[in-house]
Amino acid sequence: MTIKLAELRYFCAVVQTGNLAEAADRLGRTQSALSMSLKQLESHLGKKLFHGERKSQLSPLGEQVYELAQSQLQQFDQMVESIETTAHASNGLVRVASVPSVAALVFPKLLGQMADQIPGVKIELRDTDTRQVIDSLANGKADVGIASGYHALNGVVAKPLFEDQFGLVGATNHPLISQAQPPLIDDVVTSVFIRNTLCDLIRTPGFVKALKHVNVTIQNNYSLINTISAGRWVSVLPETVTAFLPSSVAFRPIADLPAKREVWLYRRERTYFEETVDACCGFIDAMALDYKQP
Amino acid sequence: MTIKLAELRYFCAVVQTGNLAEAADRLGRTQSALSMSLKQLESHLGKKLFHGERKSQLSPLGEQVYELAQSQLQQFDQMVESIETTAHASNGLVRVASVPSVAALVFPKLLGQMADQIPGVKIELRDTDTRQVIDSLANGKADVGIASGYHALNGVVAKPLFEDQFGLVGATNHPLISQAQPPLIDDVVTSVFIRNTLCDLIRTPGFVKALKHVNVTIQNNYSLINTISAGRWVSVLPETVTAFLPSSVAFRPIADLPAKREVWLYRRERTYFEETVDACCGFIDAMALDYKQP
DNA sequence: TTGTCATTTAAGAAAAATTGAAATTATCTT
DNA sequence: AAGATAATTTCAATTTTTCTTAAATGACAA
């Protein structure tokens, strides 16, 4: 007999609630059912999963198991949902994964068009970073992907979607924004510069070099924009990201920074509902045209 | 009631064998058990998973389910193994993921040192591409990672391991190898050049530009070396990869290609057996020194 | 100590999975 | 097209597993 999924599910619930009664309540089971299940899991592993007698503190092994089990359960549930949706959708399910900036731009409109033109279609939209987009495609967990740059992938066809000029983002009244002449890299990448994840896509040597001395980084774009709108700080972002800037923040090109972000559209071959996925890609492609020739 | 892991396991076995009897045999169950389980799965989804009456041909939905189920099962089993190993290992389990080139270099020695110096330790070594190494670290599926380039990751510390000069690889008697003066990019990236995955790490503008006109690519390094040793073709690889070249193939620097591959060592914070993981990183680090100052 | 709260235990009940044998359905052969 | 063979399904009986109820144990604080 091996470890069962239900055992892990119970275990995780107990970890989250910190006691049997609450976990049992949440799962619609009794305390004793959980108690026995945990005991079985522990005896299978030959070690305790919790510290002390109560279920409030994990042992080191428990920590490890919790982490693994948690992500496994999440994945499993996601897979089940995906299977069920596919099975029940009359016009199929299209799973689209995209980097957040493009997702914000594309998803609302895409959702509308799909729903209007393909009755009964189901759509699953996810925004993550390029790495995970590519991964989802590779694992068959997404049918369509939008990501930065080109990545060769088996069973997936890629096509360039649009290019996206990098430029300065700063508060409207920041000197670098308001000054007459266009700023240069060296003006921008100074002590008021905040690095962000998208900066890593830039290969312009002068910029890469300047970036080495920057020591403020903000991972989350929303926090980044917020910080910038306070007035003191600036950053560099692709132009389409700035479609969502508040009026207190503005975008302008940097004279000696020609770098563009290449956004690519990926499509899995041999998908369940070919036509639906084709239509989806068509919509995305059409939208991209709006950005290609502004 | 929801989809169960066992149902998917049965389903996959039937898909693989193509008939119930064989699958039942493999799983140590009877035909009827599988038949009922499949029926249950199908009625849950409301659609057939197979085409026709026999179990030899999947329906489109079946294809989709099979693919998802297959990868899920694989992951689950891997997780179970990882949990069990962790639980039973007296000195813990260290899961190391590395890009193949460095893995080939480091794993044999590392395995020996770990076994010798940390009695009872268990080691799990995996070689994949950089993307998956980073992913394993992010998902808590690896404790230590070796990958090309720097990637910021939550809960993971990174440190540069060594740098690896890119250069020409060709048959010993290939003109570009045997000629007196060092070759240039334009000599190398010609009609006899084969592109490979590691080429994408190179950012030297002249090389990137030249690469655009190359239309032969080999993904697998082993096949690549084999092809090269035939005599006609050449490629570009990092120097450490060449530690495993057959004598018929040689490495030499390219005069105007300064590109280096940066290899980084990643280590998850808050691992189960801190000391063991520390020791492992120490060993890897020490080995890297051999390549830093050759 | 005593009372409360959390967990465990044990025995029976309920649910789920598995089996064996017979029945059905498909495929092949002639 | 009929019979033979192979594969799958059905169904009731059985086994296994999981869950519940109810009572017992253990920890902890007043």
Side-chain angles (χ1 to χ4, degrees), chain B residues 42-101:
Chain B
E42 283 184 334
S43 83
H44 179 88
L45 297 177
K47 287 202 179 168
K48 309 215 72 177
L49 290 165
F50 293 91
H51 224 69
E53 295 306 312
R54 300 296 173 90
K55 308 298 181 198
S56 53
Q57 204 186 350
L58 281 173
S59 74
L61 176 63
E63 296 265 9
Q64 177 108 346
V65 173
Y66 177 63
E67 191 164 9
L68 291 171
Q70 188 64 21
S71 89
Q72 193 65 44
L73 287 171
Q74 201 180 308
Q75 279 194 67
F76 181 82
D77 293 341
Q78 206 170 298
M79 178 208 62
V80 169
E81 201 190 305
S82 178
I83 289 180
E84 289 179 341
T85 312
T86 308
H88 297 138
S90 56
N91 244 318
L93 163 73
V94 185
R95 299 161 302 169
V96 187
S98 167
V99 290
S101 50

Side-chain angles (χ1 to χ4, degrees), chain B:
Chain B
M1 183 188 37
T2 176
I3 296 178
K4 278 181 283 288
L5 209 57
E7 281 174 2
L8 295 178
R9 183 156 271 140
Y10 293 173
F11 169 65
C12 286
V14 173
V15 173
Q16 281 156 15
T17 57
N19 71 102
L20 290 182
E22 213 177 317
D25 193 45
R26 210 175 84 183
L27 295 163
R29 293 283 119 85
T30 53
Q31 278 193 18
S32 52
L34 299 205
S35 176
M36 289 176 117
S37 167
L38 284 186
K39 199 178 121 181
Q40 189 169 319
L41 184 58
E42 283 184 334
S43 83
H44 179 88
L45 297 177
K47 287 202 179 168
K48 309 215 72 177
L49 290 165
F50 293 91
H51 224 69
E53 295 306 312
R54 300 296 173 90
K55 308 298 181 198
S56 53
Q57 204 186 350
L58 281 173
S59 74
L61 176 63
E63 296 265 9
Q64 177 108 346
V65 173
Y66 177 63
E67 191 164 9
L68 291 171
Q70 188 64 21
S71 89
Q72 193 65 44
L73 287 171
Q74 201 180 308
Q75 279 194 67
F76 181 82
D77 293 341
Q78 206 170 298
M79 178 208 62
V80 169
E81 201 190 305
S82 178
I83 289 180
E84 289 179 341
T85 312
T86 308
H88 297 138
S90 56
N91 244 318
L93 163 73
V94 185
R95 299 161 302 169
V96 187
S98 167
V99 290
S101 50
V102 185
L105 217 60
V106 163
F107 281 0
K109 208 169 163 188
L110 179 65
L111 210 53
Q113 293 190 328
M114 292 287 284
D116 287 350
Q117 315 216 0
I118 311 178
V121 72
K122 303 229 177 177
I123 312 176
E124 202 178 286
L125 302 171
R126 192 157 17 118
D127 58 339
T128 42
D129 55 15
T130 291
R131 209 181 63 232
Q132 293 208 50
V133 170
I134 297 300
D135 244 48
S136 301
L137 287 160
N139 301 329
K141 283 175 183 152
D143 307 301
V144 177
I146 301 173
S148 303
Y150 171 73
H151 308 260
L153 223 50
N154 242 352
V156 176
V157 292
K159 96 176 249 194
L161 203 55
F162 65 92
E163 289 193 335
D164 205 1
Q165 177 77 52
F166 278 98
L168 170 70
V169 177
T172 326
N173 58 357
H174 193 284
L176 286 165
I177 293 289
S178 51
Q179 74 186 19
Q181 74 274 32
L184 300 172
I185 291 177
D186 289 337
D187 303 333
V188 169
V189 187
T190 60
S191 59
V192 298
F193 182 81
I194 302 177
R195 177 188 191 145
N196 64 69
T197 26
L198 292 169
C199 287
D200 295 339
L201 295 171
I202 299 177
R203 298 291 167 191
T204 308
F207 185 84
V208 174
K209 210 165 149 191
L211 206 59
K212 289 201 172 155
H213 307 291
V214 172
N215 33 30
V216 187
T217 302
I218 296 186
Q219 304 277 346
N220 180 289
N221 268 357
Y222 187 74
S223 313
L224 178 68
I225 303 280
N226 253 334
T227 311
I228 289 170
S229 76
R232 175 169 166 201
W233 305 91
V234 301
S235 191
V236 164
L237 286 171
E239 191 166 5
T240 51
V241 175
T242 67
F244 306 95
L245 291 183
S247 58
S248 57
V249 178
F251 173 90
R252 82 185 289 193
I254 296 173
D256 55 348
L257 183 68
K260 291 183 162 80
R261 169 173 73 155
E262 284 184 352
V263 176
W264 289 67
L265 177 63
Y266 294 85
R267 185 207 189 292
R268 260 175 73 75
E269 297 173 310
R270 287 174 284 105
T271 47
Y272 189 4
F273 284 90
E274 290 285 344
E275 324 72 38
T276 312
V277 177
D278 282 343
C280 178
C281 288
F283 289 146
I284 295 173
D285 220 15
M287 272 182 251
L289 280 178
D290 303 347
Y291 299 99
K292 263 182 189 155
Q293 301 116 352

Side-chain angles (χ1 to χ4, degrees), chain A:
Chain A
M1 183 189 38
T2 172
I3 296 178
K4 276 180 287 283
L5 209 56
E7 282 174 1
L8 296 179
R9 183 156 272 139
Y10 293 172
F11 169 65
C12 286
V14 173
V15 173
Q16 281 155 17
T17 58
N19 72 100
L20 289 183
E22 214 177 318
D25 193 44
R26 212 175 80 183
L27 294 163
R29 293 284 119 87
T30 50
Q31 281 190 21
S32 50
L34 300 204
S35 175
M36 290 168 101
S37 167
L38 284 185
K39 201 178 127 184
Q40 188 170 319
L41 184 58
E42 283 184 333
S43 84
H44 179 87
L45 296 177
K47 287 202 179 166
K48 308 215 72 179
L49 290 166
F50 293 91
H51 225 69
E53 294 305 312
R54 301 297 171 91
K55 306 299 182 201
S56 54
Q57 205 186 351
L58 282 172
S59 75
L61 175 64
E63 296 264 11
Q64 178 109 345
V65 173
Y66 176 65
E67 193 163 10
L68 290 171
Q70 186 67 19
S71 90
Q72 193 66 42
L73 287 171
Q74 202 179 305
Q75 278 193 68
F76 181 83
D77 293 341
Q78 206 170 296
M79 178 209 62
V80 168
E81 199 188 306
S82 178
I83 289 179
E84 290 179 341
T85 312
T86 308
H88 296 137
S90 56
N91 245 318
L93 163 73
V94 185
R95 300 162 300 168
V96 186
S98 167
V99 289
S101 50
V102 186
L105 219 56
V106 164
F107 281 0
K109 209 169 163 189
L110 179 66
L111 211 53
Q113 293 191 327
M114 293 288 283
D116 287 350
Q117 314 217 0
I118 312 177
V121 72
K122 303 232 178 175
I123 312 175
E124 203 177 286
L125 301 171
R126 195 160 9 123
D127 57 339
T128 42
D129 56 14
T130 290
R131 208 181 64 232
Q132 293 209 50
V133 170
I134 298 299
D135 244 50
S136 301
L137 288 160
N139 301 329
K141 284 177 182 151
D143 307 301
V144 177
I146 301 173
S148 303
Y150 171 73
H151 308 260
L153 223 50
N154 243 352
V156 176
V157 292
K159 98 174 246 194
L161 204 54
F162 65 91
E163 290 193 332
D164 206 0
Q165 177 76 52
F166 278 98
L168 169 69
V169 176
T172 326
N173 58 357
H174 193 284
L176 286 166
I177 294 288
S178 53
Q179 76 186 18
Q181 74 274 30
L184 300 171
I185 292 177
D186 289 337
D187 303 333
V188 169
V189 188
T190 59
S191 58
V192 298
F193 183 82
I194 303 176
R195 176 185 191 147
N196 64 70
T197 25
L198 292 169
C199 287
D200 296 339
L201 294 171
I202 300 177
R203 297 295 167 187
T204 307
F207 184 84
V208 175
K209 210 165 149 190
L211 206 58
K212 290 201 172 152
H213 307 292
V214 173
N215 33 29
V216 186
T217 301
I218 295 185
Q219 303 277 346
N220 181 289
N221 267 357
Y222 187 76
S223 314
L224 177 68
I225 303 280
N226 255 334
T227 311
I228 288 171
S229 78
R232 175 170 166 199
W233 304 88
V234 301
S235 190
V236 164
L237 285 171
E239 192 168 3
T240 53
V241 175
T242 66
F244 306 95
L245 290 183
S247 59
S248 56
V249 178
F251 173 91
R252 83 185 289 188
I254 295 172
D256 56 347
L257 183 67
K260 292 184 164 76
R261 169 173 74 154
E262 284 184 355
V263 176
W264 288 67
L265 177 63
Y266 294 84
R267 186 208 188 291
R268 258 175 75 74
E269 296 172 311
R270 288 174 284 105
T271 45
Y272 188 4
F273 285 89
E274 290 285 344
E275 323 75 35
T276 312
V277 177
D278 283 343
C280 179
C281 288
F283 290 146
I284 295 173
D285 220 14
M287 273 181 252
L289 280 178
D290 303 347
Y291 301 100
K292 262 181 189 154
Q293 301 115 352

